[in-house]
Amino acid sequence: MNRPDGIVTPPTQELQAAQDMINNGQSEQALSRLGNQSGGEFLEHRWRDYLSGTAYFTAKDLEKGFGLLNGCYEKIKSRPESTSEELRLAGLCLKKMGWYYRKAKDYTKAFTYHSYRLHYALDTGSPLEVHDALISLDVDAYFMKEGALSERILKQSIRFGEQVADKKLRVMALGTSFNNLGGTLYGNKKFAEAESAILQSLKHWQSYEDLAGTKENRVVWAYFGIGDVYENWAKHLK
């Protein structure tokens, strides 16, 4: 199938401006801006619900945020002929709702919501959205102490990370997958494989910093990951 690129984005400049405010920690301003918007097609209304829910999450009003996100998802799901853009938005709602349950330490329920998110991403999403969904599942599996499951998920995420068209986003996705895989593999006592994975992570983070700069300290953290693998391998050999 011909997949879209990137992560789905708001359909109007006004909605994009609200998302930018949320990303910059300006949740109250975003809610005010969203409250002043009206009209538009079905998709615009659902984006307002999604962004408002996300803003309430950022503002620590989790219950109100969850209600808006769940309402957004249910309205899209019950629509007889939803568009691919609507279904991709439904996937974003599921990701946030999964995060809600993870924060509540209900990791099984978080995994369920993120599994639904993966279903939508596989059906209508981009390789980056599929990768993102798999990383969410990996984090849930980690908290569930399901190392074998985490390993399978991460190896699948690498396949989709390799399909991301944008080079910066691709090496970021692969850096994340290999980093997490290194940690999972040494937790599973597969130290030689863990070494290979974490060195792959370092390579991708070096490529990422060549493109994006060093302010995120990705390479520094990669070296910490390498140290963790060797430290745990040494302890295992004692």
Side-chain angles (χ1 to χ4, degrees):
M1 64 177 288
N2 291 323
R3 293 188 177 275
D5 291 327
I7 301 291
V8 66
T9 56
T12 69
Q13 290 183 347
E14 280 292 309
L15 291 166
Q16 182 62 58
Q19 177 160 286
D20 292 341
M21 287 178 176
I22 295 167
N23 292 342
N24 291 326
Q26 300 171 303
S27 55
E28 297 295 336
Q29 295 93 320
L31 286 167
S32 176
R33 189 175 192 122
L34 290 163
N36 290 328
Q37 296 179 27
S38 61
E41 302 294 329
F42 176 84
L43 181 61
E44 292 175 45
H45 284 284
R46 301 292 73 78
W47 266 99
R48 280 197 285 275
D49 292 341
Y50 167 75
L51 292 170
S52 295
T54 301
Y56 278 115
F57 270 10
T58 305
K60 306 290 192 270
D61 192 340
L62 301 184
E63 299 303 321
K64 192 163 188 176
F66 185 89
L68 284 161
L69 291 162
N70 188 56
C72 177
Y73 168 67
E74 291 293 340
K75 286 170 184 172
I76 295 172
K77 187 178 75 167
S78 63
R79 192 166 164 84
E81 294 184 5
S82 294
T83 67
S84 62
E85 293 294 294
E86 291 164 2
L87 294 172
R88 292 172 76 191
L89 176 59
L92 292 185
C93 292
L94 288 162
K95 177 184 178 179
K96 296 289 185 183
M97 290 191 285
W99 173 87
Y100 169 90
Y101 284 110
R102 186 193 296 154
K103 186 172 179 62
K105 299 185 179 181
D106 189 340
Y107 303 121
T108 301
K109 204 158 192 175
F111 190 90
T112 299
Y113 273 82
H114 288 142
S115 296
Y116 294 151
R117 152 73 161 147
L118 176 62
H119 169 77
Y120 279 94
L122 287 169
D123 191 35
T124 63
S126 67
L128 186 60
E129 287 169 331
V130 177
H131 178 272
D132 186 63
L134 289 164
I135 294 299
S136 292
L137 286 167
D138 164 55
V139 175
D140 298 331
Y142 168 81
F143 282 113
M144 293 162 64
K145 303 186 186 306
E146 295 283 353
L149 175 61
S150 176
E151 184 178 336
R152 290 197 300 273
I153 290 168
L154 287 166
K155 288 178 177 177
Q156 186 179 5
S157 79
I158 290 167
R159 294 199 296 274
F160 280 94
E162 289 169 343
Q163 298 173 35
V164 174
D166 181 88
K167 183 176 181 181
K168 185 170 77 170
L169 294 175
R170 181 170 64 251
V171 294
M172 185 176 187
L174 291 170
T176 301
S177 290
F178 279 110
N179 175 77
N180 292 11
L181 182 59
T184 293
L185 286 166
Y186 84 63
N188 293 346
K189 311 301 181 187
K190 298 180 179 180
F191 294 103
E193 291 181 57
E195 178 188 33
S196 176
I198 205 68
L199 290 175
Q200 282 289 316
S201 174
L202 172 63
K203 182 185 79 171
H204 289 297
W205 287 129
Q206 287 170 331
S207 296
Y208 177 79
E209 289 197 350
D210 287 343
L211 296 165
T214 61
K215 65 180 180 180
E216 297 176 56
N217 296 315
R218 298 285 186 165
V219 169
V220 171
W221 286 109
Y223 280 116
F224 274 111
I226 292 168
D228 280 342
V229 170
Y230 287 133
E231 180 183 5
N232 282 275
W233 198 350
K235 288 178 180 177
H236 179 72
L237 292 172
K238 280 185 178 180

